[in-house]
Amino acid sequence: MEYELTNQRTLSRLDQYILFYWLISLLIGIPILGDWLRSWNVPATLANPWFVIFLLVSFALSQVLYVMVARHDRRPFLWEPTIIFSIGNGVIETFAFATVYRLGEWIGNGLAGQLWPTLVGPLGFAVGFTAFVIYGGVIHSFFWLPYLPPHLDDSPRSMRIRKLRPFAEMALVLGWSLCLYLYQDIWTVIFIHILVDLGLMLRVRPPVFLGVSRQGVVE
């Protein structure tokens, strides 16, 4: 798949796929997450300093490892696509993540209520977290990695570092899941996800929403 800047305000196939993904996430997520979206529970998260430290450390670790293995192959950095994708995907894909987590939590708590009443809460969290991890792996393996340009270095050093990344990503997902479980705070998760996607746009510079930039044509 070839990528180039364009002087026409058109959507590429990748843009269309992303917008369709966002649309599905919105249509499914908003009804399920309405109460969380209407609640501002960020102060409850910030009131737990040790948990905030965990969120920051897991975010920093995931980003450092990513920067060490990702590359942009001299693709241009463009502000407009960066802002659109970072905010758009940071907000809307979080709807998908939180929806999967919440459905898993409902299933886990439903099973606990029927079979192990004392596990209502912890089992819901465990199933929700597991569903989140599985969904995150599936969506990145079958959507993001195939459609974004190759951007992970294959040198021996990078391959060793890449083996550590799943653990960092698990820690990141654990923090986000705890944020939802303990405080029903989706907005902190959204903010961190925006930062994650901003890191992607700064480091990898995937060719998304290039039509908005009108920077000329690459021959």
Side-chain angles (χ1 to χ4, degrees), residues 125-164:
F125 170 76
V127 177
F129 169 68
T130 302
F132 192 161
V133 170
I134 293 173
Y135 177 78
V138 168
I139 197 64
H140 283 86
S141 296
F142 292 97
F143 180 65
W144 292 117
L145 286 178
Y147 290 106
L148 294 181
H151 58 276
L152 296 177
D153 187 60
D154 292 327
S155 69
R157 172 182 172 274
S158 293
M159 292 301 294
R160 290 193 296 270
I161 296 172
R162 286 170 61 177
K163 292 179 180 179
L164 301 175

Side-chain angles (χ1 to χ4, degrees), residues 53-111:
I53 290 173
F54 177 77
L55 290 175
L56 293 175
V57 170
S58 61
F59 164 73
L61 178 62
S62 69
Q63 292 305 288
V64 167
L65 293 179
Y66 189 65
V67 166
M68 293 175 71
V69 300
R71 64 181 193 271
H72 55 70
D73 293 330
R74 298 186 178 180
R75 284 182 292 274
F77 172 75
L78 302 170
W79 273 111
E80 297 94 331
T82 296
I83 293 171
I84 292 172
F85 182 82
S86 298
I87 296 177
N89 198 66
V91 173
I92 301 173
E93 190 177 42
T94 301
F95 289 8
F97 289 161
T99 296
V100 169
Y101 168 83
R102 195 166 206 187
L103 292 175
E105 184 181 47
W106 285 345
I107 293 171
N109 284 334
L111 291 173

Side-chain angles (χ1 to χ4, degrees), residues 4-218:
E4 62 180 18
L5 295 177
T6 175
N7 58 3
Q8 298 179 350
R9 294 181 181 270
T10 58
L11 294 174
S12 68
R13 181 175 300 178
L14 176 58
D15 297 339
Q16 294 173 23
Y17 290 159
I18 291 172
L19 291 175
F20 181 72
Y21 177 43
W22 287 358
L23 177 62
I24 296 300
S25 298
L26 287 171
L27 291 177
I28 297 175
I30 289 177
I32 293 176
L33 305 170
D35 56 335
W36 286 358
L37 294 171
R38 290 189 298 268
S39 301
W40 181 254
N41 294 328
V42 175
T45 300
L46 298 180
N48 186 339
W50 288 110
F51 182 56
V52 172
I53 290 173
F54 177 77
L55 290 175
L56 293 175
V57 170
S58 61
F59 164 73
L61 178 62
S62 69
Q63 292 305 288
V64 167
L65 293 179
Y66 189 65
V67 166
M68 293 175 71
V69 300
R71 64 181 193 271
H72 55 70
D73 293 330
R74 298 186 178 180
R75 284 182 292 274
F77 172 75
L78 302 170
W79 273 111
E80 297 94 331
T82 296
I83 293 171
I84 292 172
F85 182 82
S86 298
I87 296 177
N89 198 66
V91 173
I92 301 173
E93 190 177 42
T94 301
F95 289 8
F97 289 161
T99 296
V100 169
Y101 168 83
R102 195 166 206 187
L103 292 175
E105 184 181 47
W106 285 345
I107 293 171
N109 284 334
L111 291 173
Q114 294 294 322
L115 303 173
W116 310 284
T118 58
L119 293 181
V120 171
L123 184 60
F125 170 76
V127 177
F129 169 68
T130 302
F132 192 161
V133 170
I134 293 173
Y135 177 78
V138 168
I139 197 64
H140 283 86
S141 296
F142 292 97
F143 180 65
W144 292 117
L145 286 178
Y147 290 106
L148 294 181
H151 58 276
L152 296 177
D153 187 60
D154 292 327
S155 69
R157 172 182 172 274
S158 293
M159 292 301 294
R160 290 193 296 270
I161 296 172
R162 286 170 61 177
K163 292 179 180 179
L164 301 175
R165 290 193 62 237
F167 299 101
E169 298 300 320
M170 288 276 285
L172 193 67
V173 171
L174 176 61
W176 293 6
S177 297
L178 285 171
C179 207
L180 299 173
Y181 172 62
L182 295 174
Y183 306 114
Q184 297 77 55
D185 175 16
I186 193 173
W187 293 105
T188 293
V189 178
I190 285 173
F191 176 71
I192 299 175
H193 196 179
I194 289 173
L195 295 181
V196 169
D197 285 334
L198 178 60
L200 168 72
M201 294 301 292
L202 291 172
R203 183 60 179 172
V204 176
R205 306 173 188 177
V208 295
F209 305 118
L210 296 183
V212 303
S213 300
R214 303 180 67 87
Q215 298 292 321
V217 178
V218 175

